[in-house]
Amino acid sequence: MHKTITALIGAAMLCVPVAARATAAQAAPAQAPDPAKLAEARAIIEIMFPPAQREQMLTKMSDDIAAPIRQSLPSNLVDDAGLKTLMDGALNELQAKQRPLMMKHMPALFEAMANAYTREFSLAELKNVRAFAQSPSGQRYLSRSPALLGDPEIAKVNAAIFAESQALVQTEMVGLKAKLIAYFEQHPDVAEKVAALAKPKEDK
């Protein structure tokens, strides 16, 4: 019984992204943005993320985000050459597979950012931001800000945050697992629903 409930806990976790996608779809704004504001917002984003440099910037950001993960690996993994090779290879493969996925969604992401700007800022504010962005200082500030993730001091703090977050999540998961076990035992109908959602569909 315990093994069955443990499997259901994993199934419940797998169902979370499905619910998140449904919530995001319901929250999508329907109102079309003001064309003048959208033009300003798009111009700002093009300065922040020059189209010709976007893939390079994305790769750099991906490397900077992965660095704290590598640094937070348990010492017993880092000390063992074989395990370290396996973990490094897994992270490298994951980054390589994520990169084309991120590039695929990047146009939609930047357009969503532009639309968000139009909802958050007035036309006058967007014009002021664009004027700053077009100045030499503004261009450098906006184009270089994403790269600051790789600054050694920032990377060191991020590594510490990630390591402590991992420990916190592991601790919290113990409590969550106990609560889920108790809930599934008290509500077997819910357990059946969760198991059904997580079960792979058979090929027709």
Side-chain angles (χ1 to χ4, degrees):
M1 180 65 176
H2 186 273
K3 289 184 178 179
T4 301
I5 293 177
T6 300
L8 288 172
I9 292 171
M13 297 303 178
L14 289 173
C15 293
V16 171
V18 177
R21 286 197 298 271
T23 302
Q26 293 172 0
Q31 186 175 357
D34 176 77
K37 293 171 70 174
L38 185 58
E40 294 293 333
R42 286 171 174 167
I44 294 168
I45 289 173
E46 285 211 357
I47 295 170
M48 293 176 64
F49 301 96
Q53 301 174 25
R54 285 178 182 176
E55 185 169 359
Q56 179 183 354
M57 294 174 73
L58 174 65
T59 300
K60 177 70 165 59
M61 289 174 65
S62 176
D63 290 342
D64 292 340
I65 292 171
I69 300 176
R70 297 178 190 274
Q71 294 175 24
S72 66
L73 291 176
S75 58
N76 61 323
L77 294 183
V78 177
D79 292 341
D80 185 278
L83 286 175
K84 185 176 185 305
T85 299
L86 284 174
M87 294 301 297
D88 284 341
L91 284 172
N92 291 338
E93 185 176 355
L94 178 60
Q95 282 184 263
K97 290 181 177 179
Q98 282 182 331
R99 196 167 294 123
L101 181 64
M102 295 176 71
M103 290 299 298
K104 171 186 173 183
H105 292 283
M106 187 177 289
L109 174 62
F110 287 139
E111 187 65 9
M113 287 173 60
N115 289 333
Y117 282 7
T118 67
R119 292 188 291 272
E120 184 68 26
F121 304 107
S122 69
L123 180 58
E125 289 171 333
L126 289 170
K127 286 181 178 292
N128 289 337
V129 173
R130 183 180 180 181
F132 168 69
Q134 289 176 324
S135 69
S137 296
Q139 287 183 19
R140 176 162 174 76
Y141 173 79
L142 292 174
S143 65
R144 291 297 301 163
S145 289
L148 293 181
L149 280 173
D151 182 88
E153 189 171 353
I154 294 176
K156 182 179 179 181
V157 175
N158 280 336
I161 293 172
F162 189 85
E164 291 184 27
S165 295
Q166 275 190 315
L168 178 62
V169 168
Q170 289 174 359
T171 301
E172 292 299 312
M173 284 300 294
V174 173
L176 176 59
K177 181 178 179 180
K179 291 177 181 178
L180 286 172
I181 288 174
Y183 189 84
F184 285 143
E185 287 177 339
Q186 294 171 10
H187 302 84
D189 57 320
V190 177
E192 290 179 5
K193 290 178 181 179
V194 172
L197 286 171
K199 185 179 179 181
K201 293 183 179 179
E202 295 180 2
D203 295 332
K204 295 182 179 180

